[in-house]
Amino acid sequence: MIHGAHFRGGIISWRPFNSTPSGNYAKIQVHQRYFWNRRWGSFSAPYCDESDVATQTLIPVNSLMTCLQNCSSSNYSSLSTKMTSTDCDANVLIDSWAGERYDNLTLPLTTSITIGFVSNAWFNSLYIGGGGGWSIVNRLNLGLRPDGYINTSPVTNTLPVVFVPVNTRTVHIVQMADNDATDILKCRWSNSASTTNYNREDECDGVCSGLPASTVLFQSNCTLVFTLPITSLYYACALQIEDYYDSSSATPMSSVPIQFLFYAYTPSASACATRPAIIGARPNR
């Protein structure tokens, strides 16, 4: 178990190498991406820089992504969270070391499990959840889709920290896509309702409802509308992106977590009064 205020968010997704079933097993690839405090006490100085990205230095976070629910349906074994450096930002307001890893697994088609990375702690300077535990979970379901194929989970990505002017109505779109082009994608708040949510697990621990209560989430295109009330503070956002076979489906086929940070800043007096804006239709994918 790892301790220390070092976690800053992440993403977990997966895909089959071949969506056409053959036999009772499927070969899949699991993707993990996490953001860390660049100057966490367990990282040795000198701290990461771009040379670590160029040489693909391994980030020494030696923990495991484990099976959390319905584990008897699969032969899944815990995966390491030690990953390859993909970016390092020494900006004092970001101070992030990020990486990712890919693992290839062969699992039975009976697999319908919740996997996740659960530990502590988020760093302290959060609007809600500072210094608390983290939980980031994914539903890995290899049961055949109604069309007879093996599902592919949605994918997403984010910067580790998104900068937002304080006391300003902000619209932020979380990108989501799916290789199964006809799937209906929706995003929802991660929650701790482990007896009722799709993952049957606490999905966010200390940062459930990490944004102000007035925040609005439009599920169909994963658009957040919010105002951050306190400057020079970080706000955690924890979401699940889920894919449905069609518009009549009541239950998703997979659940992909994305957790990241907003930072509220006070604009300088000389800042442009009109912020950049995305115009036109916002696509589902």
Side-chain angles (χ1 to χ4, degrees), residues 169 176 187 216-225 282:
R169 183 178 181 272
M176 55 183 185
C187 73
V216 176
L217 171 63
F218 294 92
Q219 294 189 346
S220 63
N221 54 21
C222 211
T223 297
L224 294 160
V225 182
R282 296 195 295 272

Side-chain angles (χ1 to χ4, degrees), residues 12-18 22 24-32 64-67 74-80 101-109 111-116 138-142 150-151:
I12 304 168
S13 63
W14 54 271
R15 68 176 183 90
F17 283 94
N18 187 345
S22 177
N24 297 320
Y25 288 81
K27 187 174 182 180
I28 69 166
Q29 185 174 77
V30 177
H31 174 235
Q32 299 178 74
L64 296 171
M65 181 172 68
T66 62
C67 181
S74 183
N75 61 357
Y76 173 88
S77 295
S78 298
L79 299 178
S80 172
R101 70 174 287 136
Y102 294 88
D103 289 280
N104 299 335
L105 309 176
T106 299
L107 302 179
L109 295 180
T111 297
S112 181
I113 58 177
T114 297
I115 57 176
N138 176 293
R139 183 65 172 267
L140 201 172
N141 182 2
L142 297 183
I150 300 169
N151 192 48

Side-chain angles (χ1 to χ4, degrees), residues 245-273:
Y245 182 69
D246 58 29
S247 58
S248 66
S249 301
T251 303
M253 296 178 289
S254 63
S255 184
V256 168
I258 176 170
Q259 298 181 8
F260 63 99
L261 299 172
F262 291 106
Y263 179 79
Y265 68 93
T266 300
S268 68
S270 60
C272 178

Side-chain angles (χ1 to χ4, degrees), residues 112-283:
S112 181
I113 58 177
T114 297
I115 57 176
F117 186 15
V118 180
S119 189
N120 65 88
W122 278 90
F123 77 125
N124 293 320
S125 301
L126 291 183
Y127 178 68
I128 291 173
W134 78 74
S135 179
I136 181 167
V137 305
N138 176 293
R139 183 65 172 267
L140 201 172
N141 182 2
L142 297 183
L144 299 185
R145 299 157 48 94
D147 56 12
Y149 291 102
I150 300 169
N151 192 48
T152 297
S153 82
V155 294
T156 185
N157 208 347
T158 183
L159 297 170
V161 181
V162 178
F163 289 83
V164 172
V166 71
N167 291 322
T168 302
R169 183 178 181 272
T170 298
V171 177
H172 180 79
I173 302 169
V174 176
Q175 300 298 316
M176 55 183 185
D178 196 311
N179 192 57
D180 301 311
T182 60
D183 287 358
I184 304 298
L185 300 185
K186 299 179 183 180
C187 73
R188 62 171 175 84
W189 296 115
S190 303
N191 64 68
S192 60
S194 58
T195 60
T196 57
N197 66 32
Y198 178 54
N199 290 302
R200 294 298 190 269
E201 187 68 27
D202 184 342
E203 300 167 333
C204 40
D205 200 347
V207 299
C208 296
S209 305
L211 292 173
S214 59
T215 301
V216 176
L217 171 63
F218 294 92
Q219 294 189 346
S220 63
N221 54 21
C222 211
T223 297
L224 294 160
V225 182
F226 59 92
T227 300
L228 302 184
I230 303 173
T231 194
S232 303
L233 194 63
Y234 297 87
Y235 300 72
C237 180
L239 301 167
Q240 302 291 136
I241 297 175
E242 297 175 336
D243 53 343
Y244 294 77
Y245 182 69
D246 58 29
S247 58
S248 66
S249 301
T251 303
M253 296 178 289
S254 63
S255 184
V256 168
I258 176 170
Q259 298 181 8
F260 63 99
L261 299 172
F262 291 106
Y263 179 79
Y265 68 93
T266 300
S268 68
S270 60
C272 178
T274 303
R275 299 176 60 240
I278 298 173
I279 60 174
R282 296 195 295 272

